[in-house]
Amino acid sequence: MARQQEEGFNELPQTHRRTLWRIALEVVREPMFQLLVAAGVIYLLLGDKGEALMLLAFVTVSVTITVVQELRTERLLESLRDLSSPRALVVRDGKRQRIAGRDVVRGDVIVLSEGELVPADARLFEAHELQTNESLLTGEAAPVRKQAAAQTQANPRPGGDDLPWVYSATLVVKGRGLAEVTATGSHSEIGKIGQALASITPERTPLHQQTQRLVRLFSVVGLGLSALVVLLYGLTRGSWLDGVLAGITLAMSMLPQEFLLVLAVFMAMGAWRISQQRVLTRRANTIETLGAATVLCSDKTGTLTMNVMQVAALDVGGTLWQAGQADLPEHFHRIVEYGVLASEREGFDPMEHALHRLANDYLSGTEHLHGEWLLAHEYGLAPDMLAMSHVWGAAEPGRYVIATKGAPEAVADLCHLPPEALADVRARTERLAAMGMRVLGVAVAAFEGEAWPGKQHDFDYEFIGLVGLADPLRPGVVDAVQQCRSAGLTVAMITGDYPATALAIAREAGIDVSGGVLSGDEMRVLSDEALRERVARVRVYARVMPEQKLRIVNALKANGGVVAMTGDGVNDAPSLRAAHIGIAMGRRGTDVAREASAIVLLDDDFSSIVKAVRLGRRIYDNLRKAMAFVVAVHVPIAGLVLLPLLLGWPAIFTPIHIAFLELVIDPVCSIVFEAEPEEDDVMQRPPRDPQAPLFSLSLLSWAFAQGLLVLAVVVSGFGALLWAGTSAEVARAMAFVAVVVGNFGLIVTNRAFGTAIVSALRRPNRAFWVMAGATLALLSAALFIGPLRELFRFGALSGTQLAQALAVGLAITLLLAVFKRVAQATGWAPGR
């Protein structure tokens, strides 16, 4: 068709894919990539292929992550395309025909019927009791009524009753209609969401940014010192080649490859640990960021609530029954009986489903259910009468029962109640509405004859009472919200529902409502600056549209917050993607929401977020411990390379020694520290400042002080051995043993922030003891296997010399224990 050629298919346009060469160029520009490649080249020049291959593996992982991220974006847009292009029944050339949703064009007449998805945005010109579920776009669980319009009207946003517009990818839950397509593909409401998703770049986590800065710092310092060593060696000893080798040795001792390893292992292991709690991590590094989250923005429908309408209360004559009670007194049987009779036996309306469930739970097997009755006539909803009636043939021929339900004021009007009774119904309705419920009135009438009245008003109705329906909270939500608040995490609720309902649900969940509620209509007239001021106080947002959710997230981020956003619908996808941490529901969530998120709750359990916060804080604590150990352990290594040169001593370390120590350091700082249990106060302190450096000044100075202590003891011992006439090979072996044992002292010292070394040894950590055994086995091999001893340039140690070296290492551990106790007593203790 000409219009289709002009406007394109009814689907989201394909975004331009970046080529592999373009992706590769972006990776090459990353400083991390450049450092890894440079280190790999150095190792290759040294002939150490194992280390070179390891670094090249990191390069491969970096490229793979980037490619996967690109493919994930494509899958996200593909999910939107699939969702927005159902099969469609259209009228063309006077005939109804079923076509692919992607072939629908503007101007087509589409046929809408119960249970089908709407294929495109359209204007209704014929409607019969039509209701649609627009929760994918608005977040509101209850269906909305639709009515036809004879003339073209301005197209409002989704949400609200009695509008003549239907929207692509929404579900027809009741009735039928005809509509003219007004927007397809990217021009539809769901298409606008897709365009917003395509334009959003995921946030780099604060930890990733800080690690990059740390890597650059260590790289500059290491390369600068290496160049200095080359100059000093060449100028003082005249051997420039040996100077280059010494410079390479120092560079190897200071290259920050452990930081990259630690970050990768911690995030991967964190993803595995949290998966044991039924939480899927799609971007592993966001687990750590969750520990720094200051604001958790939660959608109401399907996230805090079950997304299933339930009868929450019944009001008959002012007497109230509420859900959760074991029995349904006889006094309330009639309202359930006639509420069911006023509903479709098999339909899609969630409120009618709720009435059927209540009847099955409490009235099954009683005389109040009438499966044998036949529907004789029905009166549908109309703009001037928001009530519907079913006329049922009772047991006696010619006698009928009319069951009616609808808006309380409409049903009360049908019953011709006197003013005082009307006022009473209105007050009771407001009481239920203030509790966050949708309220229906129920009435009954009797009729004899076959000539049905032309309208419902002509029956003699009896007003029975009110039905309050609500979307209940998920189990465990109240406790989860309380734990978030005790951990300093602000919980905000963002919903498309009405303000009264939103406030009632927020109070029930334990969310702070002191700041009132901010509606989408109010937000529409606020500038970005004014919105930033409001979001600093408001915790409840109602009647919010998708792009407004995005504005809220961006305003919170502009206020300095680290934002986590939960959701399960298409309407949540842009804000999920824009937030620092997007958290989707796994069971009830749409593919679009899951693809846009960083974390997926597989069991849809809101309380799993608390477990993720706890794990995120533990990861960051252990990451700082590991980084402190890396700094501390490199101080003696670098010093033992540099000081012999300055003092004119024989070299203590060569590249092979550095490679051995790296073989020990890498798994220790990654596996051992990652396995450390959480600190006792992990959920009793406020979120950390995401802009704070990975190292505080006190922690950095503490790490350097530990390293200097180890360096001072080993250098003193090495100097004493040389002064006593010990050969350089034996002195080197004894110094090496002392360094390895001293490294274990550094590990134990840094395993816990405020715990003494003896207590730290009692902390459960199987990985520590496994690595200790493996390290001692490797050290023994280097000391006692002849070829390896020659490769390391060690001399054969006597029993006494080995005992002396071990004693020095143990002395280092004891000195570190005393040093830590003094630091804690004086307030110069490593902080959290």
Side-chain angles (χ1 to χ4, degrees), residues 214 218 259 626-636 695 700 703-704 707:
L214 199 61
F218 269 74
F259 293 127
M627 296 297 192
F629 168 75
V630 170
V631 172
V633 80
H634 276 79
V635 170
F695 288 108
L700 187 60
F704 270 108

Side-chain angles (χ1 to χ4, degrees), residues 201-253:
T201 302
E203 286 280 329
R204 279 191 172 182
T205 68
L207 178 61
H208 185 271
Q209 298 170 9
Q210 292 173 15
T211 304
Q212 278 192 320
R213 290 195 294 267
L214 199 61
V215 167
R216 293 192 189 102
L217 174 63
F218 269 74
S219 300
V220 170
V221 172
L223 292 176
L225 287 177
S226 298
L228 180 61
V229 165
V230 173
L231 287 174
L232 287 174
Y233 209 103
L235 293 174
T236 60
R237 303 193 181 187
S239 177
W240 290 98
L241 182 58
D242 288 341
V244 171
L245 291 175
I248 291 175
T249 303
L250 183 61
M252 288 178 61
S253 72

Side-chain angles (χ1 to χ4, degrees), residues 33-58:
F33 176 89
Q34 295 170 359
L35 287 169
L36 287 170
V37 171
V41 170
I42 292 174
Y43 285 129
L44 282 175
L45 292 175
L46 292 170
D48 194 337
K49 296 180 180 179
E51 290 289 340
L53 290 175
M54 183 186 71
L55 291 177
L56 291 176
F58 277 115

Side-chain angles (χ1 to χ4, degrees), residues 335-344 355-356 359 369 390 392:
I335 189 171
V336 179
E337 174 184 2
Y338 292 109
V340 169
L341 288 173
S343 304
E344 300 291 342
L355 285 166
H356 280 291
L369 296 184
H390 283 174
W392 296 93

Side-chain angles (χ1 to χ4, degrees), residues 76-96:
L76 171 58
L77 295 174
E78 188 64 36
S79 296
L80 271 176
R81 283 191 288 270
D82 292 342
L83 182 61
S84 62
S85 186
R87 300 287 294 176
L89 183 62
V90 300
V91 179
R92 289 182 178 175
D93 301 325
K95 297 180 180 180
R96 295 190 177 191

